[in-house]
Amino acid sequence: MAEIEFDYSNAEEFMPPQEFAAFLQKAEAAKAELLGRQGKGNDFLGWIDLPEDYNKEEFARIKKAAEKIRSHSQVLLVIGIGGSYLGARAAIEFLSNAFANALPAEKRNAPEIYFVGNNISGTYLSQLVEVLGDRDFSINVISKSGTTTEPAIAFRIFRAIAEKKYGKEKAAEHIFATTDKAKGALKSLAGREGYETFVVPDDIGGRFSVLTAVGLLPIAVAGIDIDALMQGARDEREELLSAEGEKNQALMYAAVRNLFLNRGKRVEVLANYEPQFHYVAEWWKQLYGESEGKEHKGLFPASIDLTTDLHSMGQYMQDGQRMMLETVVCIDQPLEEVTIEEDPEDLDGLNYLAGKTMDFVNKNAMKATILAHVEGGVPNLLIHVPGQDAHSLGALFYFFEFACGVSGYISGVNPFDQPGVESYKKNMFALLGKPGYEELRKEIEAKEAKG
Ligand code: PA5
């Protein structure tokens, strides 16, 4: 049986059966194209076999480095942006205590972990320097290109702090670089300074890299079982590579979302009922947004945290423009159960829930919301995840990656490049005066002068 279950019964009333059959056929053709490795972007398909075919020597080194960091550091700073950050954050926030950094060290049983280099805010950075104080820390700097501005600035600052605290030589024992195997500024710097390095494989793009060293090192430092994470992905891969037609849950998801795109939907809202899922949704948004948002195509991926956002976005979901479909991620088995107790006075009128668990209330809130949204004209897709554990998350990562590759091929784009991300980078370099961008700067200035 599939680990990740896809249920479209709450969308069927909006799906003409013949159209669905046609999209399922397209999904099967897209799967064949993906696995035939002859389609667009086929030099970036290393993620397909990754759960089986990964570098075992490096995997063992990741575990060793994680142990070293856990033993000598009270804080880990993870420096990276986009695909070099979101997967690790998704896993760590989903699988650790929701308040991990605030727990006493002996309960957390891992360093405090902070993410930096994912924005250009001096305020954020200096407040993190304050939180760090003079505690022992390590840095995992992650950048495939080794030249991305946001992480490069943060790394320059925290490297200087580490060198001041430990001295240049000892600082090298606290700095771990995950980057290209041969090229880029970070690779050269790491080589010169003697940092331990890990590799972002050539054939895996940032947003598909969570199960490489990019995600695995910080995830292992958090004390999460990376073997279970890989096993989950492995099990899901086996299922998705072999299951055919309606039995293949990822093909179904890819087919249904393309059907709705074709029927005029423009936004897919990923909804969750577990707050720790928030960053998994951020990871998902990058995966689908950067993979499919091309050639003026693609569903805009958005996300909501429920029931929190029912009190802010609920009105729009129910009754605003009918441009969206909703995909709910349901964590079948909650990590913790809290039972609501009887109160003899019942002043809050909640005794009708006495003896019930919060999960019972949460799941009924989910059912009620789905019913309301479907009634309001929002097709609802449901993705069942067995639990809030490493195996389930590994399976979910793989499920979404596989469905994304299939979905991109259905819509005819190259899901594995990101030409649009380069446009802002070039303009920013020109405006900041980076050598080599003088011509573009002149063009921008001329445009500005024209008004
Ligand atoms: O998915 C991607 O390719 C991007 O989001 C990159 O991961 C992001 O731009 C960071 O790039 P780099 O790892 O080269 O610093």
Side-chain angles (χ1 to χ4, degrees), residues 186-248:
L186 181 57
K187 177 68 189 169
S188 327
L189 180 67
R192 203 194 67 181
E193 301 296 326
Y195 305 150
E196 178 160 11
T197 57
F198 298 92
V199 173
V200 190
D202 285 341
D203 57 354
I204 300 183
R207 58 192 176 275
F208 288 84
S209 70
V210 57
L211 299 174
T212 71
V214 171
L216 294 177
L217 178 58
I219 294 170
V221 174
I224 292 160
D225 182 353
I226 59 172
D227 287 301
L229 194 71
M230 292 301 275
Q231 185 63 48
R234 206 155 37 242
D235 291 346
E236 189 64 18
R237 173 183 172 277
E238 204 183 312
E239 171 72 25
L240 296 182
L241 257 48
S242 58
E244 283 173 14
E246 297 214 9
K247 290 211 172 92
N248 190 312

Side-chain angles (χ1 to χ4, degrees), residues 81-84 142-146 148 151 206-207 286 290 418 425:
I81 194 166
S84 289
I142 309 164
S143 177
K144 185 174 186 176
S145 62
T148 308
R207 58 192 176 275
Q286 186 200 358
E290 222 170 73
Q418 53 285 327
K425 283 187 186 172

Side-chain angles (χ1 to χ4, degrees), residues 425-440:
K425 283 187 186 172
K426 276 190 234 149
N427 289 342
M428 184 175 73
F429 289 151
L431 290 170
L432 291 172
K434 187 172 177 170
Y437 290 83
E438 295 78 6
E439 279 310 306
L440 183 56

Side-chain angles (χ1 to χ4, degrees), residues 225-341:
D225 182 353
I226 59 172
D227 287 301
L229 194 71
M230 292 301 275
Q231 185 63 48
R234 206 155 37 242
D235 291 346
E236 189 64 18
R237 173 183 172 277
E238 204 183 312
E239 171 72 25
L240 296 182
L241 257 48
S242 58
E244 283 173 14
E246 297 214 9
K247 290 211 172 92
N248 190 312
Q249 310 291 293
L251 289 197
M252 297 283 278
Y253 174 51
V256 173
R257 56 197 302 287
N258 275 280
L259 177 152
F260 282 117
L261 177 65
N262 194 47
R263 295 188 73 75
K265 297 297 182 193
R266 292 293 168 258
V267 179
E268 180 181 6
V269 179
L270 192 75
N272 73 80
Y273 286 78
E274 280 298 339
Q276 284 169 271
F277 193 85
H278 179 87
Y279 268 94
V280 185
E282 295 300 312
W283 170 85
W284 172 88
K285 284 196 282 198
Q286 186 200 358
L287 183 65
Y288 281 81
E290 222 170 73
S291 300
E292 294 193 309
K294 287 161 200 170
E295 302 170 28
H296 299 183
K297 293 179 180 171
L299 285 163
F300 181 86
S303 64
I304 48 176
D305 298 324
L306 302 180
T307 59
T308 315
D309 293 341
L310 287 179
H311 301 261
S312 56
M313 299 301 289
Q315 174 61 37
Y316 197 107
M317 291 292 294
Q318 190 64 43
D319 211 17
Q321 271 200 66
R322 301 297 73 189
M323 61 186 176
M324 64 187 80
L325 63 135
E326 183 181 24
T327 300
V328 173
V329 175
C330 173
I331 311 297
D332 289 339
Q333 193 56 45
L335 206 52
E336 312 269 358
E337 287 281 25
V338 172
T339 302
I340 300 161
E341 292 191 352

Side-chain angles (χ1 to χ4, degrees), residues 35 37 45-54 56 204 230 234 237 241 398:
L35 298 182
R37 290 166 167 80
L45 297 181
W47 57 272
I48 296 178
D49 293 333
L50 182 70
E52 283 289 351
D53 185 14
Y54 58 95
K56 312 288 184 304
I204 300 183
M230 292 301 275
R234 206 155 37 242
R237 173 183 172 277
L241 257 48
Y398 196 86

